[in-house]
Amino acid sequence: MAAICVFCASSRTLDQRFLDLAAEVGAELARRGHTLVSGGGCVGMMGAVADGARSAGGPTLGVIPQALVDLEVADLASDELLVTDSMASRKTVMIDKSDAFLTLPGGLGTLDELFEVWTTATLALHAKPMVVLDADGFYRPLLDWLRALTDQRFLKPAGLDLLTVAHTVEEALTALESRLT
């Protein structure tokens, strides 16, 4: 089916509920026949989503910069692991290798990845679907701020409309699949 890139946290100190959410997403991607594209790490939610996909028989593609390989956080169990020379080139490869993007809870790195694919979509550099999984209102404050940007004309409503917000794994994956071209 599709190669779906999942952006999420790689922190080792997360509540178990976030790790469970990531594992559920990975498993459901695999059950639906999709390939997981991830940041190539084996820790935090990033590791959990890949483990979830593999546990359900799904293929995984990890993209990781050499600096993180050197820190021994690479997902060596990945079906394919692409090593890049920088974080910037990692994002470029992830965008190129993916048909759609799903953002789970995360911190600065996750937001950086989300904003990169969203910005390039607003510039019509790609037309790949993007969904944010707003589990338990995690992204509510950010989404409120983004809506305020449109009110103040810093973001066009059409730009905001490129991003779909879902509240459950089922809703998120169905939204992605309905927008795949």
Side-chain angles (χ1 to χ4, degrees), residues 102-156:
L102 175 58
T103 303
L104 305 182
L108 291 177
T110 302
L111 291 173
D112 176 56
E113 293 163 336
L114 167 63
F115 281 105
E116 175 87 14
V117 297
W118 192 10
T119 299
T120 53
T122 64
L123 297 171
L125 298 176
H126 72 81
K128 300 173 183 181
M130 302 167 292
V131 172
V132 169
L133 179 51
D134 186 27
D136 299 325
F138 182 87
Y139 282 111
R140 188 174 302 126
L142 175 64
L143 295 167
D144 290 344
W145 178 75
L146 291 167
R147 285 184 202 96
L149 286 180
T150 61
D151 295 341
Q152 298 171 41
R153 299 186 181 146
F154 285 101
L155 173 62
K156 294 178 182 176

Side-chain angles (χ1 to χ4, degrees), residues 58-171:
T60 58
L61 165 63
V63 185
I64 190 167
Q66 183 63 52
L68 295 181
V69 173
D70 295 343
L71 291 175
E72 299 181 353
V73 296
D75 179 14
L76 300 178
S78 187
D79 294 305
E80 185 178 0
L81 187 65
L82 302 177
V83 180
T84 64
D85 63 356
S86 68
M87 293 292 279
S89 58
R90 172 203 217 180
K91 286 187 291 185
T92 299
V93 171
M94 290 170 78
I95 292 169
D96 290 345
K97 296 283 187 183
S98 301
D99 300 311
F101 305 93
L102 175 58
T103 303
L104 305 182
L108 291 177
T110 302
L111 291 173
D112 176 56
E113 293 163 336
L114 167 63
F115 281 105
E116 175 87 14
V117 297
W118 192 10
T119 299
T120 53
T122 64
L123 297 171
L125 298 176
H126 72 81
K128 300 173 183 181
M130 302 167 292
V131 172
V132 169
L133 179 51
D134 186 27
D136 299 325
F138 182 87
Y139 282 111
R140 188 174 302 126
L142 175 64
L143 295 167
D144 290 344
W145 178 75
L146 291 167
R147 285 184 202 96
L149 286 180
T150 61
D151 295 341
Q152 298 171 41
R153 299 186 181 146
F154 285 101
L155 173 62
K156 294 178 182 176
L160 187 61
D161 291 344
L162 290 173
L163 190 65
T164 301
V165 178
H167 301 282
T168 66
V169 173
E170 172 75 23
E171 183 185 351

